[in-house]
Amino acid sequence: MGDSAPAGAAVPTGRSDVLTSFDPRTGEQLAHYPVHGQSEVTRAVRTARATQNWWGELGFGARKRLLLDWRSHIARHTGELVEVLRNETGKPEADAALEVMLAVENLDWAARNAQSTLGRKRLATGWFTRNQHASVGYLPVGVVGVLGAWNNPVFTPMSSIAYAMAAGNAVVFNPHELTTGVGTWLAGSWAAVVPDQPVLQAVTGDSRTATALCKAKVDKIAYAGPEAGGREVIALCAQTLTPVVVENSGKGSMIVHVDAVLDAAAEAAVFGAMANAGQNASGIQRCYVADSVFDDFLARVADRAAKLRPGADNRAAYGPMINATQVDVVRKQVRDAIARGGHAVLGGLDSFRDPYVEPIVLAEVPEESIAITGEGIGPVLVVNRVADLADAVTRVNAAGNGIAVTVFTRDIPSAEFIAEQLRVGVVTVNSSTAFTGIPALPFGGVGEYGQGHSHGQQGLREFSRTMSIARRRYRAPVRLSTFDRHPGHLHTAKALFRLRHGRG
């Protein structure tokens, strides 16, 4: 949605019911897929509901065993998935393999930790309810619809699929039209392990398919992608009051303090900005650097970035722009930054060699530029000077548009204090994107950036509903919850209340 009909990547062919995928490196046709409409999506959701009854009743132990079998199947066939991923995104083999490994780590964690996170637990009762047994547990919501992303088409959707399935839900997955093959491979891998129970199904197509899934009255929708698409999903789901988990695709910021190890900070900044051709939502768009170390840091960043080479081969630092329409978006951002007074330290408007964009480092870019306020999808890094940490925090919060902020400093207490001043979901200290490799660590957006959480216990509970149970164990000695209460019981309760709460 939002960018669901990009030119030169995946478009309907002569028939409106067929989708053709292309290799973004060469333009070569890869495969044809059906464009599923409302009837096909409705049928898939109906099947998911029937299957979810079986899946939900299995219990945590049986689900864990099957999910770990699925994990092992993916691990054994990683080479196949990497090849599909490379063909549809153009990523170098190392990047594609890393993405698959991170996705499998999340599947493993979700399977192993679902019971301890969601299983029923006893709770303490109050002074007047000691005769009650209280507990809370988490049940599956039912059927979850997942709308896939094109930039990391294995890792990002698996952050919803694995956690939703571990919580006992069935999943209907609509992979992005640019990476349909990845989605059908994942659904097929589940079918290879559990052939008779389609707990995971893939419906293929374009924005029409995504719209149909949003309208299909599933129990929750998980979306990752551009902000405009997120708004569309929220509006569509509002019609049926379907709750939504949203992860928008804008990148985050880095703050470099005066005491930072500059070489390490520069290394992290360049990787965060340029890895996957700058198409990682967990990456870095802007660096706010203390004035006294600004020039040194900028020189180190430019030197490192200048050594990177995009290309189609495995020796390339990164691959092409996966979504062809994003090339013009990045070009407009760079042009706007320079027009407003920013200057190109490395690259610039001559860095665009479609479908590749060579590394671009911009400095002293005005904060109102769309290079800062827009969703930064591309190998572009903005480096701006700040007076102090307070100035950096103010600018980061004003720019928004990021799930994560990286702080480089040797003063750890200051870093943790700063973290609590930032309106983001994740703060990393002295590293950039490594947090994505910690399955137990939840992350999510703030405000317009996103709703809900991925990963960790919050990720499991995101696809669950709370079920609280209270049961009477024995007759209470002081009975208050009855019209037949004894006057002496109320007198006793008042005296106990004053003893517990009335003293200073």
Side-chain angles (χ1 to χ4, degrees), residues 223-244:
Y223 165 85
E227 181 181 329
R231 291 178 182 274
E232 290 180 45
V233 169
I234 292 170
L236 284 168
C237 290
Q239 298 174 19
T240 53
L241 298 180
T242 302
V244 183

Side-chain angles (χ1 to χ4, degrees), residues 8-11 20-33 83-84 86-90 178 312 355:
V11 295
T20 301
S21 65
F22 294 85
D23 186 326
R25 299 166 294 188
T26 64
E28 175 187 2
Q29 289 189 14
L30 296 173
H32 303 290
Y33 302 95
E83 188 64 20
V84 175
R86 290 197 65 214
N87 287 340
E88 290 195 321
T89 66
L178 300 182

Side-chain angles (χ1 to χ4, degrees), residues 422-443:
L422 295 165
R423 286 187 52 76
V424 293
V426 179
V427 173
T428 67
V429 180
N430 296 331
S431 69
S432 56
T433 60
F435 75 91
T436 59
I438 308 173
L441 185 72
F443 61 88

Side-chain angles (χ1 to χ4, degrees), residues 347-476:
L349 293 174
D350 58 350
S351 298
F352 295 85
R353 314 239 188 276
D354 296 8
Y356 300 98
V357 180
E358 295 175 354
I360 299 172
V361 178
L362 305 172
E364 306 285 19
V365 176
E367 297 294 317
E368 64 272 15
S369 169
I370 58 174
I372 288 179
T373 63
E375 291 180 299
I377 303 298
V380 179
L381 179 63
V382 173
V383 183
N384 278 355
R385 190 189 309 265
V386 292
D388 50 31
L389 288 175
D391 185 17
V393 169
T394 298
R395 295 200 196 193
V396 169
N397 287 340
N401 213 25
I403 195 170
V405 170
T406 292
V407 180
F408 265 82
T409 178
R410 302 184 205 198
D411 186 348
I412 302 305
S414 291
E416 294 178 348
F417 174 79
I418 291 168
E420 296 181 355
Q421 316 307 312
L422 295 165
R423 286 187 52 76
V424 293
V426 179
V427 173
T428 67
V429 180
N430 296 331
S431 69
S432 56
T433 60
F435 75 91
T436 59
I438 308 173
L441 185 72
F443 61 88
V446 175
E448 290 188 359
Y449 181 76
Q451 303 177 19
H453 286 81
S454 298
H455 299 184
Q457 292 185 343
Q458 284 89 330
L460 286 166
R461 288 176 182 161
E462 195 67 59
F463 299 104
S464 307
R465 62 184 179 90
T466 304
M467 171 56 69
S468 300
I469 298 176
R471 61 176 172 82
R472 194 179 84 163
R473 298 160 55 217
Y474 54 85
R475 181 184 175 94

Side-chain angles (χ1 to χ4, degrees), residues 74-356:
I74 296 173
R76 288 193 302 269
H77 296 83
T78 292
E80 296 175 20
L81 180 53
V82 165
E83 188 64 20
V84 175
L85 180 57
R86 290 197 65 214
N87 287 340
E88 290 195 321
T89 66
K91 294 185 179 188
E93 183 177 6
D95 286 357
L98 178 60
E99 180 179 344
V100 172
M101 289 188 287
L102 289 175
V104 169
E105 287 292 335
N106 274 280
L107 174 56
D108 180 84
W109 191 93
R112 293 182 184 279
N113 290 275
Q115 182 167 7
S116 61
T117 300
L118 306 176
R120 185 156 294 279
K121 297 179 179 64
R122 184 171 180 176
L123 304 175
T125 56
W127 186 271
F128 299 116
T129 53
R130 289 176 178 266
N131 68 320
Q132 297 286 326
H133 180 284
S135 66
V136 63
Y138 300 88
L139 304 178
V141 296
V143 176
V144 174
V146 176
L147 302 177
W150 50 264
N151 53 343
N152 287 298
V154 178
F155 174 73
T156 300
M158 190 63 86
S159 297
S160 297
I161 292 170
Y163 291 80
M165 291 175 66
N169 302 284
V171 174
V172 179
F173 176 33
N174 175 212
H176 195 280
E177 62 194 85
L178 300 182
T179 53
T180 302
V182 170
T184 58
W185 192 97
L186 288 172
S189 69
W190 169 260
V193 176
V194 190
D196 300 324
Q197 298 291 350
V199 179
L200 172 63
Q201 302 172 78
V203 290
T204 62
D206 53 22
S207 61
R208 293 168 290 177
T209 310
T211 297
L213 186 54
C214 288
K215 292 182 175 181
K217 296 184 179 180
V218 296
D219 298 291
K220 199 157 200 174
I221 287 283
Y223 165 85
E227 181 181 329
R231 291 178 182 274
E232 290 180 45
V233 169
I234 292 170
L236 284 168
C237 290
Q239 298 174 19
T240 53
L241 298 180
T242 302
V244 183
V245 182
V246 175
E247 179 186 327
N248 288 340
S249 56
K251 290 190 290 187
S253 302
M254 174 185 280
I255 296 173
V256 181
H257 194 31
V258 292
D259 65 345
V261 178
L262 294 185
D263 202 47
E267 178 185 13
V270 172
F271 184 81
M274 311 295 176
N276 192 24
Q279 298 168 111
N280 290 333
S282 59
I284 295 172
Q285 182 176 354
R286 308 164 292 268
C287 285
Y288 294 106
V289 185
D291 180 69
S292 63
V293 296
F294 177 84
D295 292 331
D296 191 359
F297 176 80
L298 182 60
R300 292 170 189 256
V301 163
D303 181 63
R304 283 183 174 275
K307 297 174 183 176
L308 304 181
R309 178 183 62 82
D313 60 280
N314 282 328
R315 294 186 301 275
Y318 56 83
M321 298 296 288
I322 303 167
N323 187 336
T325 62
Q326 286 296 319
V327 176
D328 283 338
V329 173
V330 177
R331 185 182 285 113
K332 289 176 182 177
Q333 291 177 346
V334 173
R335 182 180 294 118
D336 183 74
I338 295 172
R340 290 178 182 272
H343 60 276
V345 179
L346 176 69
L349 293 174
D350 58 350
S351 298
F352 295 85
R353 314 239 188 276
D354 296 8
Y356 300 98

